[in-house]
PDB file of all heavy atoms in Angstrom:
ATOM      1  N   PHE B 347       5.031  14.671  11.750  1.00 98.00           N
ATOM      2  CA  PHE B 347       6.381  14.780  11.907  1.00 98.00           C
ATOM      3  C   PHE B 347       7.205  13.681  11.193  1.00 98.00           C
ATOM      4  O   PHE B 347       8.387  13.987  10.723  1.00 98.00           O
ATOM      5  CB  PHE B 347       6.688  14.776  13.401  1.00 98.00           C
ATOM      6  CG  PHE B 347       5.979  15.833  14.243  1.00 98.00           C
ATOM      7  CD1 PHE B 347       5.057  15.502  15.092  1.00 98.00           C
ATOM      8  CD2 PHE B 347       6.487  17.125  14.066  1.00 98.00           C
ATOM      9  CE1 PHE B 347       4.442  16.639  15.816  1.00 98.00           C
ATOM     10  CE2 PHE B 347       5.989  18.208  14.766  1.00 98.00           C
ATOM     11  CZ  PHE B 347       4.888  17.939  15.638  1.00 98.00           C
ATOM     12  N   ILE B 348       6.587  12.620  10.981  1.00 97.00           N
ATOM     13  CA  ILE B 348       7.489  11.433  10.610  1.00 97.00           C
ATOM     14  C   ILE B 348       7.307  11.226   9.031  1.00 97.00           C
ATOM     15  O   ILE B 348       6.151  10.932   8.516  1.00 97.00           O
ATOM     16  CB  ILE B 348       7.021  10.115  11.318  1.00 97.00           C
ATOM     17  CG1 ILE B 348       7.150  10.426  12.794  1.00 97.00           C
ATOM     18  CG2 ILE B 348       7.714   8.968  10.849  1.00 97.00           C
ATOM     19  CD1 ILE B 348       8.644  10.551  13.283  1.00 97.00           C
ATOM     20  N   ARG B 349       8.406  11.300   8.382  1.00 96.00           N
ATOM     21  CA  ARG B 349       8.366  11.119   6.928  1.00 96.00           C
ATOM     22  C   ARG B 349       7.837   9.826   6.537  1.00 96.00           C
ATOM     23  O   ARG B 349       7.002   9.832   5.488  1.00 96.00           O
ATOM     24  CB  ARG B 349       9.868  11.256   6.472  1.00 96.00           C
ATOM     25  CG  ARG B 349      10.135  10.854   4.974  1.00 96.00           C
ATOM     26  CD  ARG B 349      11.693  10.794   4.567  1.00 96.00           C
ATOM     27  NE  ARG B 349      12.403   9.864   5.336  1.00 96.00           N
ATOM     28  CZ  ARG B 349      12.405   8.515   4.950  1.00 96.00           C
ATOM     29  NH1 ARG B 349      11.804   8.147   3.896  1.00 96.00           N
ATOM     30  NH2 ARG B 349      13.155   7.615   5.689  1.00 96.00           N
ATOM     31  N   VAL B 350       8.126   8.740   7.115  1.00 94.00           N
ATOM     32  CA  VAL B 350       7.685   7.378   6.554  1.00 94.00           C
ATOM     33  C   VAL B 350       6.215   7.330   6.761  1.00 94.00           C
ATOM     34  O   VAL B 350       5.603   6.350   6.111  1.00 94.00           O
ATOM     35  CB  VAL B 350       8.515   6.219   7.053  1.00 94.00           C
ATOM     36  CG1 VAL B 350       9.957   6.215   6.826  1.00 94.00           C
ATOM     37  CG2 VAL B 350       8.374   6.071   8.551  1.00 94.00           C
ATOM     38  N   ASP B 351       5.654   8.078   7.704  1.00 94.00           N
ATOM     39  CA  ASP B 351       4.215   8.032   7.821  1.00 94.00           C
ATOM     40  C   ASP B 351       3.446   8.989   6.988  1.00 94.00           C
ATOM     41  O   ASP B 351       2.200   9.086   7.048  1.00 94.00           O
ATOM     42  CB  ASP B 351       3.787   8.176   9.321  1.00 94.00           C
ATOM     43  CG  ASP B 351       4.367   7.067  10.216  1.00 94.00           C
ATOM     44  OD1 ASP B 351       4.565   5.940   9.598  1.00 94.00           O
ATOM     45  OD2 ASP B 351       4.464   7.357  11.448  1.00 94.00           O
ATOM     46  N   ALA B 352       4.158   9.797   6.190  1.00 97.00           N
ATOM     47  CA  ALA B 352       3.467  10.936   5.546  1.00 97.00           C
ATOM     48  C   ALA B 352       2.675  10.308   4.280  1.00 97.00           C
ATOM     49  O   ALA B 352       3.050   9.324   3.652  1.00 97.00           O
ATOM     50  CB  ALA B 352       4.521  11.873   4.992  1.00 97.00           C
ATOM     51  N   ASP B 353       1.565  11.054   4.104  1.00 98.00           N
ATOM     52  CA  ASP B 353       0.831  10.921   2.777  1.00 98.00           C
ATOM     53  C   ASP B 353       1.494  11.508   1.545  1.00 98.00           C
ATOM     54  O   ASP B 353       2.459  12.325   1.717  1.00 98.00           O
ATOM     55  CB  ASP B 353      -0.552  11.575   3.005  1.00 98.00           C
ATOM     56  CG  ASP B 353      -0.399  13.102   3.265  1.00 98.00           C
ATOM     57  OD1 ASP B 353      -0.130  13.907   2.378  1.00 98.00           O
ATOM     58  OD2 ASP B 353      -0.545  13.418   4.534  1.00 98.00           O
ATOM     59  N   GLU B 354       0.981  11.154   0.421  1.00 98.00           N
ATOM     60  CA  GLU B 354       1.748  11.584  -0.782  1.00 98.00           C
ATOM     61  C   GLU B 354       1.777  13.130  -1.052  1.00 98.00           C
ATOM     62  O   GLU B 354       2.683  13.568  -1.735  1.00 98.00           O
ATOM     63  CB  GLU B 354       1.219  10.780  -2.038  1.00 98.00           C
ATOM     64  CG  GLU B 354      -0.239  11.242  -2.421  1.00 98.00           C
ATOM     65  CD  GLU B 354      -0.726  10.545  -3.673  1.00 98.00           C
ATOM     66  OE1 GLU B 354       0.056  10.297  -4.554  1.00 98.00           O
ATOM     67  OE2 GLU B 354      -1.838  10.409  -3.729  1.00 98.00           O
ATOM     68  N   ALA B 355       0.855  13.835  -0.404  1.00 98.00           N
ATOM     69  CA  ALA B 355       0.896  15.183  -0.663  1.00 98.00           C
ATOM     70  C   ALA B 355       1.927  15.944   0.288  1.00 98.00           C
ATOM     71  O   ALA B 355       2.609  16.900  -0.175  1.00 98.00           O
ATOM     72  CB  ALA B 355      -0.630  15.881  -0.344  1.00 98.00           C
TER      73      ALA B 355
END
Side-chain angles (χ1 to χ4, degrees):
Chain B
F347 296 113
I348 299 297
R349 175 185 61 84
V350 296
D351 293 336
D353 55 79
E354 64 178 332

